[in-house]
Amino acid sequence: MHRPTKRLTRVLACAAAVPVVLVVAGCSSDSGSGSGDTAEKGAGSASSASATADAAKKVAPATYKGLPKACSALSKKTLDDLVPKGDSKAGASDDEQTRANCSWSSLDNNGVKGSQFRWLNVSLVRFESDANRGSGDKLATAYYAKQVKDAQATQGAKGVKTQPVPGAGDEATLVRFDSTYKEKKKDVTSKQQTVVSRVDNVVVTVNYNGSGLAGEKTPDADDLSKDTEKAAKEAVASVVDSAKSKPSASASTSAGSSGKPSAEPSASASASKKADAQSDAKKTDAKDK
């Protein structure tokens, strides 16, 4: 009478165990699939990182790592010639080692004969090499071309003339034109000169204009062009000289990444100390004998 009951109990126990096995098997299957996806994602990330590293290696490092002070880019003599007794004003910049500019304005008052007005501006823009955007030289070349086009397309410009400027960096262009503005209800002609220069990864833009006020004659455009070219060459030279004044690569390496002197002794210093120690040891042994 008790045997059927025992058999039924065993059957129910086995039936209850089946779903547990299925669930475990199902989890094992999902777990294996997830591991495969993770491995594929990891391989993809590694491949992407490798491609980025390879691209970074192909981009040439920028030549210039900083800029000179814009207000110090021109000598006192040049400023006295172009903007006599002019007042300087540094432009606002979040990072003067990447972008800087300075302007000077001058009014040479000749009393009843009128006066001569001059305005000068020096702009410096530096580009770093970037694995995605390209080398600093490439980025500077594109910006140089844009600056020239912008100068040629100045609103109200009349008689625009463009010509190359030799000896002012890797490439340089002079853009000159006339413009007019109102001064005490009278039209005043301003002679505008712009020289855009590029030296490796730095673009130098020099704007210079002059006009005669209160009856004074309009300045000669050719003279202003020569002065602008002179200022541009001097500003480019200032960029080059600023790089020469920075610590050399070997000095930077010995100082360590923090810029502070390295705490570790050099190989030659260690060898010297070792030799001294050996010599002292020999002397001690000789005395003992």
Side-chain angles (χ1 to χ4, degrees):
M1 290 293 293
H2 295 287
R3 288 179 182 177
T5 303
K6 291 180 179 180
R7 291 179 61 187
L8 179 60
T9 301
R10 282 197 293 270
V11 170
L12 292 175
C14 292
V18 171
V20 175
V21 174
L22 292 176
V23 170
V24 172
C27 292
S28 299
S29 175
D30 290 342
S31 176
S33 175
S35 299
D37 292 343
T38 302
E40 290 179 3
K41 290 179 180 179
S45 299
S47 176
S48 177
S50 178
T52 302
D54 290 340
K57 292 179 181 178
K58 294 178 181 178
V59 178
T63 302
Y64 297 103
K65 304 300 182 182
L67 295 172
K69 294 288 185 181
C71 290
S72 301
L74 302 179
S75 67
K76 184 178 184 302
K77 183 180 183 307
T78 297
L79 293 174
D80 288 342
D81 291 342
L82 272 62
V83 280
K85 299 180 181 180
D87 296 324
S88 64
K89 181 180 180 181
S93 175
D94 293 333
D95 181 8
E96 291 187 350
Q97 292 303 302
T98 300
R99 184 183 294 267
N101 75 86
C102 188
S103 61
W104 297 261
S105 59
S106 169
L107 183 63
D108 186 11
N109 195 332
N110 297 313
V112 295
K113 294 182 179 179
S115 56
Q116 288 287 337
F117 175 76
R118 298 288 186 274
W119 184 81
L120 173 67
N121 180 269
V122 174
S123 170
L124 309 172
V125 180
R126 182 179 63 86
F127 294 86
E128 283 286 3
S129 294
D130 184 272
N132 297 317
R133 299 173 62 202
S135 68
D137 285 16
K138 178 183 176 182
L139 297 173
T141 299
Y143 183 73
Y144 163 83
K146 181 180 182 300
Q147 285 289 88
V148 173
K149 287 184 178 180
D150 287 349
Q152 294 169 327
T154 300
Q155 186 175 4
K158 300 176 182 178
V160 179
K161 296 179 181 179
T162 304
Q163 63 189 61
V165 179
D170 297 312
E171 53 186 336
T173 300
L174 166 67
V175 180
R176 51 188 283 186
F177 55 82
D178 293 348
S179 63
T180 58
Y181 63 94
K182 292 287 186 180
E183 177 68 23
K184 295 182 179 180
K185 298 182 180 180
K186 292 184 179 180
D187 288 336
V188 176
T189 300
S190 176
K191 300 289 184 178
Q192 174 69 49
Q193 321 289 319
T194 299
V195 172
V196 184
S197 308
R198 181 185 69 82
V199 52
D200 291 316
N201 58 307
V202 176
V203 176
V204 178
T205 304
V206 176
N207 285 299
Y208 185 48
N209 66 58
S211 54
L213 306 177
E216 180 66 287
K217 65 179 182 179
T218 301
D220 182 76
D222 290 336
D223 291 340
L224 293 181
S225 292
K226 292 177 182 177
D227 288 338
T228 310
E229 291 180 15
K230 174 185 176 183
K233 293 176 181 178
E234 195 170 310
V236 167
S238 180
V239 171
V240 176
D241 289 341
S242 70
K244 294 179 181 177
S245 64
K246 295 183 182 299
S248 63
S250 59
S252 299
T253 302
S254 64
S257 59
S258 66
K260 298 179 180 179
S262 175
E264 298 181 0
S266 63
S268 59
S270 299
S272 178
K273 289 182 178 179
K274 185 176 181 181
D276 291 342
Q278 291 175 346
S279 178
D280 292 340
K282 289 180 180 179
K283 291 179 181 179
T284 302
D285 291 340
K287 289 181 179 179
D288 292 340
K289 291 180 181 179

